[in-house]
Amino acid sequence: MKIYSKTGDKGTTSLIYGKRVAKNDLRVEAYGTCDETNSMIGLALSYLNKENFQGKEIIDTIYHKIQTNLFHVGAELATPKGMEVKWALALSDVEELEKQIDEWNEAIPVLTNFILPGGHPAGAAFHVARTTARRAERCAVGLGEEVNPLVLAYLNRLSDLLFVTARYVNFQLSASEQTLHGKG
């Protein structure tokens, strides 16, 4: 299979089921931003190893499912209205994110100030993934009623989990968090 098809050379791309749209269509922007979030998660995970992060296997397992689900979110966003979604999200996918948020949030210090993104390179990368997940959510919201409400809930919870993950990773690696007023 060739990587290039030349069908997008004039600024259009295909949605699932073949409908062609402009590459700057909000639907394409939404699923493209999910792809960007997925890539950023991969980068964040690459900064962790067994030597510096004792829970490496656990976090890899959790984020493998999340990265897979981001493909499902992208598929939902790439499916034209009225067509069958091949890889739909379930409420349990959102609930799994909530469970993980609660677990890791219990293991880190309570926030008393706003924090600045940063810390360990993995923590900083999870913060960037959080911002791209928020952008994907904003794009999906812009599509209005064409979007499955579970997609919106998943992206919203994912950005929350990415924030907590950044803090959890920084805490586990003893990387201090900077507040608006100095060290936290």
Side-chain angles (χ1 to χ4, degrees):
M1 177 178 159
K2 286 188 176 185
I3 296 298
Y4 57 92
S5 66
K6 301 182 183 182
T7 58
D9 291 353
K10 294 184 180 174
T12 64
T13 191
S14 289
L15 299 178
I16 293 176
Y17 297 108
K19 178 181 177 184
R20 295 207 64 85
V21 296
K23 287 187 177 185
N24 65 350
D25 184 274
L26 189 54
R27 185 175 291 282
V28 177
E29 185 68 27
Y31 71 70
T33 307
C34 289
D35 187 37
E36 189 178 340
T37 301
N38 211 338
S39 295
M40 203 66 224
I41 290 169
L43 178 65
L45 292 170
S46 76
Y47 290 123
L48 299 175
N49 56 57
K50 289 179 185 176
E51 290 74 40
N52 72 2
F53 194 79
Q54 293 176 334
K56 173 74 171 137
E57 293 85 13
I58 294 167
I59 203 167
D60 281 348
T61 299
I62 290 164
Y63 273 97
H64 182 269
K65 174 123 192 232
I66 289 168
Q67 288 185 284
T68 300
N69 279 343
L70 273 171
F71 273 97
H72 296 172
V73 168
E76 287 213 31
L77 293 168
T79 301
K81 185 177 180 180
M83 305 298 283
E84 179 186 358
V85 175
K86 294 181 180 182
W87 303 281
L89 288 174
L91 180 58
S92 61
D93 295 318
V94 176
E95 293 169 342
E96 285 178 21
L97 296 178
E98 292 170 347
K99 180 180 175 225
Q100 197 58 59
I101 290 167
D102 293 342
E103 181 181 323
W104 283 344
N105 201 43
E106 287 291 318
I108 57 180
V110 174
L111 272 179
T112 57
N113 290 299
F114 286 106
I115 60 167
L116 301 173
H120 186 275
F126 278 113
H127 275 298
V128 175
R130 169 187 55 83
T131 65
T132 58
R134 285 281 186 219
R135 184 161 28 95
E137 179 186 11
R138 290 190 304 272
C139 291
V141 165
L143 292 169
E145 294 180 12
E146 293 185 32
V147 177
N148 176 352
L150 282 177
V151 165
L152 299 178
Y154 191 85
L155 290 171
N156 184 275
R157 244 36 119 257
L158 176 59
S159 62
D160 292 338
L161 177 60
L162 289 163
F163 176 76
V164 170
T165 303
R167 294 198 66 231
Y168 179 75
V169 165
N170 282 335
F171 179 73
Q172 293 295 321
L173 296 174
S174 301
S176 66
E177 293 179 326
Q178 296 289 319
T179 67
L180 298 179
H181 307 291
K183 294 237 183 233

